[in-house]
Amino acid sequence: MKKLFGTDGMRGEAGRFPLDEAAVREAGRSLARHLSERLGRAPRVVTGRDTRESGGWIEAAFLEGARAAGATAESAGVITTPGVAYLARVLPADAGVVVSASHNPYHDNGIKIFSPDGRKLDDETERLIEADIHAARAAAHAPQPSSQEEDARAAAALRARYLDYLAAEVGAGLNLAGLRVVLDCANGAAHELAPALLSRLGADVIAINDAPDGRNINRDCGSLHIEGLQGRVLEVGAHLGVAFDGDADRSLYVDARGQYVDGDATLWVLAKWMQDRGELAGDRVVATVMSNLGLELALRSRGIELLRANVGDKYVLEGLLRTGASVGGEQSGHIIFPRTSLAGDGMITALGLLRVVKATGLPLHELTEGFTRYPQKLVNVPVREKLPFGEVPEIARAERETRARLGERGRLLLRYSGTEPLARVMIEGADQTEVERLAEGLAAVIRDALG
């Protein structure tokens, strides 16, 4: 059977398997059934979605399936991914379900499932749901039209509860008066929530890409297209800009000079602040193998250890829980504060960064000083088979020689793609020319041996 769940849920083109109505309905039915078996009672499920045109019918199909299996299921309507994770925790519900494909274009969609503590669904339950979906498809059950309509007032109340939590608890004592902030909402799930939150805390908010039409989510905007935000920050003289992705589980930034501030730089600012306040447990930060070497060296200069996890926020969370660290994240802007929420939340991260700006009185470009990004080169090499690199003598030899040339001031990451027939060569170092030469050289060896 084809694996349906990836590191960030089940994702594909809306209307095509496994995001067709029948499969989605079976996913809802399967989740409710397995939760019921585990709990010994009827489960409670809360759902939400981003602004894609397919979100309404996918969510309705999922809810129909879950209710058919006996679940109590309710929708928060258009809300961020971390908003659903929050509601699952506080209602409480036995699962939170988000209909979103994050940063993908509008014609894609997906289903993410959270446990009440904010973690992604466990692998065992994912496998059970996948098996049920495949079995239902094989039986060719004819889809039934969905007749459920969301209760708009109930959905609005759930969103208000999440907004109150962000403003009153996460943002407690934070006064943003005097700060002009541009928000790029990516025409996504944060298009109403994010401007409302920062305005409530006193900021002068200028929102862009906050008019979703079902098809413009992530289109030339948001965290994947930071250039629009950079221009607007400079145009209006803002103190900083915030860019969300479609479901707002991550955020990236632009300082007052129009300079891009990614997840690594954000971690640097937050780690320094938390260390100064005695809040950085064990003087550790969790990031991924893709985080820049410059972050590792900058943190080391402050006696902070960088622990690296595999790519994916679920692996960052695993590292945080295993080590007891206080903060972790990815270059892409997924930042997790496990003592606040086990789900990455772009708005929580924004509140954390804005708290540092207000408390220190320093502009963002000064707060990021001390972190120097090292040149990085990534080369993807198509391969015919994925042999362990150490078992191919010429590759093993080239890898040893490359690592020796880089020494302690450089880094090599050599791995296979988890979803494509590709070997990935990523090299960082102090000199851009050398980095590119070494990466292309090692890539050529892999291409000759396995291409």
Side-chain angles (χ1 to χ4, degrees), residues 223-234:
S223 59
L224 290 184
H225 300 277
I226 208 77
E227 59 278 359
L229 178 62
Q230 289 173 308
R232 194 61 181 273
V233 165
L234 293 173

Side-chain angles (χ1 to χ4, degrees), residues 262 264-265 287-299 306 308 331 371-377 411 426-429:
D262 69 359
D264 284 348
T288 76
V289 293
M290 293 304 293
S291 284
N292 195 271
L293 176 62
L295 175 62
E296 184 172 347
L297 296 176
L299 291 172
L306 180 68
R308 293 186 183 270
Q331 221 173 42
F371 165 47
T372 302
R373 187 178 312 283
Y374 269 49
Q376 185 182 89
K377 178 69 175 180
R411 190 167 70 96
M426 192 279 288
I427 294 182
E428 291 173 333

Side-chain angles (χ1 to χ4, degrees), residues 147-438:
S147 61
Q148 294 292 335
E149 296 182 4
E150 74 178 33
D151 183 331
R153 283 181 297 181
L158 290 174
R159 291 193 295 273
R161 184 169 180 176
Y162 174 52
L163 188 60
D164 287 345
Y165 159 72
L166 291 174
E169 295 186 39
V170 180
L174 180 58
N175 183 352
L176 300 179
L179 278 187
R180 173 171 286 187
V181 182
V182 180
L183 299 180
D184 185 340
C185 301
N187 291 313
H191 75 283
E192 291 182 344
L193 289 168
L197 173 63
L198 296 197
S199 295
R200 184 164 160 181
L201 294 174
D204 175 10
V205 175
I206 298 169
I208 62 174
N209 300 307
D210 60 339
D213 63 9
R215 294 192 170 197
N216 60 359
I217 186 170
N218 299 313
R219 184 196 296 160
D220 300 325
C221 61
S223 59
L224 290 184
H225 300 277
I226 208 77
E227 59 278 359
L229 178 62
Q230 289 173 308
R232 194 61 181 273
V233 165
L234 293 173
E235 177 188 341
V236 302
H239 293 87
L240 58 86
V242 185
F244 299 102
D245 63 339
D247 64 340
D249 61 351
R250 58 191 177 99
S251 52
L252 296 170
Y253 303 89
V254 171
D255 66 27
R257 297 179 174 181
Q259 296 171 328
Y260 172 49
V261 177
D262 69 359
D264 284 348
T266 303
L267 279 174
W268 167 239
V269 174
L270 294 169
K272 289 189 296 176
W273 167 253
M274 295 173 73
Q275 184 186 49
D276 289 343
R277 293 167 58 85
E279 298 174 354
L280 192 67
D283 282 338
R284 295 190 183 102
V285 170
V286 179
T288 76
V289 293
M290 293 304 293
S291 284
N292 195 271
L293 176 62
L295 175 62
E296 184 172 347
L297 296 176
L299 291 172
R300 188 183 301 165
S301 72
R302 302 228 352 164
I304 300 172
E305 181 183 10
L306 180 68
L307 305 175
R308 293 186 183 270
N310 288 332
V311 175
D313 59 324
K314 66 182 292 184
Y315 300 113
V316 172
L317 178 58
E318 288 176 3
L320 288 166
L321 297 177
R322 183 178 64 254
T323 64
S326 307
V327 66
E330 298 185 277
Q331 221 173 42
S332 61
H334 281 108
I335 307 292
I336 301 174
F337 305 90
R339 295 176 184 174
T340 302
S341 171
L342 298 186
D345 188 325
M347 287 192 285
I348 289 179
T349 304
L351 291 178
L353 196 64
L354 287 165
R355 191 180 292 276
V356 180
V357 170
K358 285 292 289 186
T360 62
L362 297 174
L364 185 54
H365 70 266
E366 289 189 25
L367 291 170
T368 58
E369 289 177 356
F371 165 47
T372 302
R373 187 178 312 283
Y374 269 49
Q376 185 182 89
K377 178 69 175 180
L378 174 64
V379 183
N380 292 318
V381 184
V383 294
R384 62 180 181 274
E385 56 182 336
K386 295 181 179 180
L387 295 176
F389 296 116
E391 294 181 6
V392 184
E394 53 268 49
I395 296 177
R397 182 172 57 255
E399 180 181 359
R400 286 194 303 270
E401 292 173 352
T402 301
R403 292 189 188 280
R405 291 189 181 185
L406 289 169
E408 294 186 358
R409 302 293 292 180
R411 190 167 70 96
L412 164 64
L413 176 63
L414 183 58
R415 65 186 182 94
Y416 288 112
S417 166
T419 58
E420 301 174 273
L422 296 173
R424 303 196 193 280
V425 180
M426 192 279 288
I427 294 182
E428 291 173 333
D431 182 76
Q432 181 72 51
T433 301
E434 183 184 33
V435 163
E436 293 183 0
R437 179 175 57 80
L438 291 175

